[in-house]
Amino acid sequence: MTTPHTGLRAALDAVPVIAILRSQSAERFAEVTDTLRTAGIRAAEFTLTTPGALDALREYAADAPPGLALGAGTVTTPADAQRAVEAGAAYLITPTTCTDVIAEAARLEVPVLAGAYSPTEILTAWRAGATMVKLFPAATGGPEYLRAVRAPLPDIPLVPTGGIGLADAPAYLAAGAAALGIGGPLAGDACEGGDLTALSDRAAALLHRIGR
């Protein structure tokens, strides 16, 4: 039987990218997600700081296509976690080392990517039960920081997120990233009504850069 864990892992094994959707409104999240999926992206994060994100998540998850790992981001409380999973999130992503959310994710039996930056935070999140650790904000240290952190902590799967440009993606993967969280450089203005063809082109360019 497929579990949320294997679903997320299968998606990231195929294409190690989580598309982060954050906007002033979630009205276009479905169209944007469909475009990304058609282009080959297999994981998308609906951020809870976006007004209407839970409703958009619920509506999209009710008829989500197979092979797409749909999650909720900016989850900072156990109540957020519960609401997101009830709406259809198959995994949760936190911006910081929220150990209470990690515990709630375990109770709900869904994967959680916990935010962390320093080696202490990374190890704390991992020992608390994070499925993967989101290295955030990644751009402040770049691929070299990721490589340096992985030297003493090689067994913790790290997902750099925050300020990663499309051209930067290969360097982060070469430095040992398990996957990448990419928002604005990939989504552009698509969530605000921008050109979906341009979004598809950006996704295709990203996949080409990382050899997918």
Side-chain angles (χ1 to χ4, degrees), residues 82-145:
Q82 292 171 27
R83 285 190 287 266
V85 171
E86 288 169 358
Y91 57 94
L92 306 171
I93 302 179
T94 74
T96 62
T97 309
C98 302
T99 55
D100 54 351
V101 175
I102 296 172
E104 184 64 14
R107 189 187 72 80
L108 295 167
E109 299 184 328
V110 297
V112 57
L113 284 70
Y117 188 76
S118 71
T120 298
E121 292 170 344
I122 291 167
L123 187 58
T124 297
W126 182 247
R127 286 180 172 171
T131 310
M132 307 174 85
V133 177
K134 181 179 83 169
L135 183 67
F136 176 80
T140 58
E144 289 306 314
Y145 180 70

Side-chain angles (χ1 to χ4, degrees), residues 17 41 165-166 169-170 180 182 186 201-212:
V17 173
I41 303 294
L166 305 188
L180 306 172
I182 304 182
L186 175 59
D201 290 344
R202 287 191 296 274
L206 172 61
L207 296 182
H208 178 73
R209 288 179 183 275
I210 64 174
R212 293 298 198 278

